[in-house]
Amino acid sequence: MKTVALRFSDKFAPKEGTIKAHENLIKEHGYVWYGKLGLPLSQKAIDYIKENNDPKILLIHSGKTARYWAYVSEILKEVPEINKIPPYYRDINDKFKTWFKVLRFEPAPKDIMGRCTVISSGALLGEVSKHSMSPYFIIEVEGE
């Protein structure tokens, strides 16, 4: 399976953290919009995600060991419905250039970083992510 791995942090998140803040809106509305800061994803990256039977992206918690699968049903490059965005980043929504409509989050397996190969280099995601400042990686996931 080819998809995208994105970094995230809790730097601006409320006390409960990024994932929990998003899950609160999923419980309320059935989905939430998860925004990617900075440059938008390439169309090629978006196409890889959409080609999957059960589209999902890998979220990598910067500086921590937590990894999550975010199951997505839609991807936009314009700001979606504001009330479906977590409150803590509604005021800065213009800084997010790609939006993922997330239906659910699941913890990824502990060995996931060793099962993902970065397509551009052929190297393992676990190694590349330690030394790269790239905000996202197009990956091939073994066994998915």
Side-chain angles (χ1 to χ4, degrees):
M1 172 187 82
K2 291 179 183 164
T3 190
V4 169
L6 296 175
R7 298 179 199 271
F8 78 95
S9 79
D10 288 329
K11 187 175 181 179
F12 302 108
K15 189 170 38 178
E16 69 265 24
T18 300
I19 300 299
K20 186 69 177 159
H22 283 75
E23 286 179 328
N24 291 340
L25 282 179
I26 291 173
K27 285 179 188 166
E28 187 178 337
H29 301 289
Y31 66 93
V32 66
W33 287 99
Y34 180 93
K36 183 212 163 295
L37 277 168
L39 294 174
L41 254 63
S42 68
Q43 190 57 50
K44 182 178 182 179
I46 291 169
D47 291 344
Y48 280 138
I49 296 165
K50 289 180 173 183
E51 286 170 3
N52 293 306
N53 289 334
D54 196 10
K56 60 186 176 181
I57 58 173
L58 182 64
L59 301 178
I60 304 168
H61 197 303
S62 292
K64 308 245 176 155
T65 59
R67 313 290 184 245
Y68 298 91
W69 285 117
Y71 290 82
V72 301
S73 64
E74 194 176 340
I75 302 170
L76 299 176
K77 289 193 178 181
E78 63 274 348
V79 179
E81 316 124 286
I82 203 80
N83 66 328
K84 306 298 189 315
I85 298 170
Y88 74 95
Y89 60 74
R90 288 179 185 166
D91 291 343
I92 57 168
N93 65 58
D94 60 323
K95 296 185 184 312
F96 296 84
K97 303 301 180 192
T98 306
W99 293 91
F100 302 91
K101 187 177 187 178
V102 176
L103 305 177
R104 72 183 187 280
F105 294 94
E106 284 181 5
K110 298 256 186 255
D111 67 343
I112 194 65
M113 298 294 278
R115 293 179 26 214
C116 298
T117 304
V118 177
I119 290 176
S120 63
S121 68
L124 288 177
L125 179 60
E127 290 303 312
V128 174
S129 67
K130 291 178 192 173
H131 308 290
S132 173
M133 294 301 290
S134 179
Y136 74 93
F137 305 94
I138 300 174
I139 57 173
E140 176 88 39
V141 186
E142 179 187 312
E144 287 291 324

